Amino acid sequence: MISSCLSSLLPSSSEPYSLIQVLLHAYPQGPCMPNEEGQLPVHLAIKHKKSWELLKHISSPTTARISLNGSLPLHMALQQYSNGADYDKDNDVITELWNLHPEASS
C-alpha cells in the first residue's frame, strides 16, 4: 500500500520531498517494492526525469541492480537524460546511479 503511494507521488513534480521522506520513514522497504506494473519507484522517477535530489532518497545498491524490461536504472537514465537540456542535473543522476552499481556499465 505505501509503496503504491510512493510510486504514485513520483510523477508529480509538485510533491515536496518531505512527504516522500515521511513515507520512506514509515515504510523503508518501499523503494524495493514494485507497483502493479513491476516498476520500482526509481524506475518511475527516471522515467519522469526527476533530479538526483529526489532519486537519492529511493536509490540504493539494491534498487540499482533491479531491471525493468531488461534495463537497469543506469541504462534507463542514460536513455532518458541524454538530451542534454539540463547537463548538471542529468550528469548527477547518471554519475550517482553509476556509483551505486558500476558493474552496470559492463
Side-chain angles (χ1 to χ4, degrees):
M1 166 90 171
I2 293 177
S3 65
S4 294
C5 293
L6 182 60
S7 291
S8 67
L9 287 176
L10 293 175
S12 171
S13 60
S14 63
E15 288 302 329
Y17 299 135
S18 59
L19 180 56
I20 292 170
Q21 289 174 321
V22 167
L23 285 172
L24 290 171
H25 182 73
Y27 193 66
Q29 313 91 304
C32 294
M33 302 298 296
N35 65 12
E36 313 78 47
E37 297 163 8
Q39 300 167 315
L40 294 178
V42 69
H43 298 137
L44 289 171
I46 292 168
K47 178 180 175 184
H48 293 282
K49 298 182 82 172
K50 299 300 181 183
S51 70
W52 181 248
E53 186 63 31
L54 183 139
L55 276 158
K56 71 182 176 185
H57 298 290
I58 58 171
S59 299
S60 70
T62 300
T63 60
R65 288 172 169 74
I66 298 174
S67 67
L68 177 66
N69 300 323
S71 291
L72 293 167
L74 176 62
H75 304 150
M76 294 174 66
L78 287 167
Q79 292 173 342
Q80 286 294 105
Y81 295 89
S82 62
N83 68 6
D86 190 348
Y87 180 79
D88 290 335
K89 178 184 92 171
D90 299 350
N91 195 42
D92 286 348
V93 170
I94 291 166
T95 300
E96 295 300 336
L97 286 171
W98 184 81
N99 287 335
L100 288 173
H101 185 33
E103 297 85 14
S105 63
S106 52

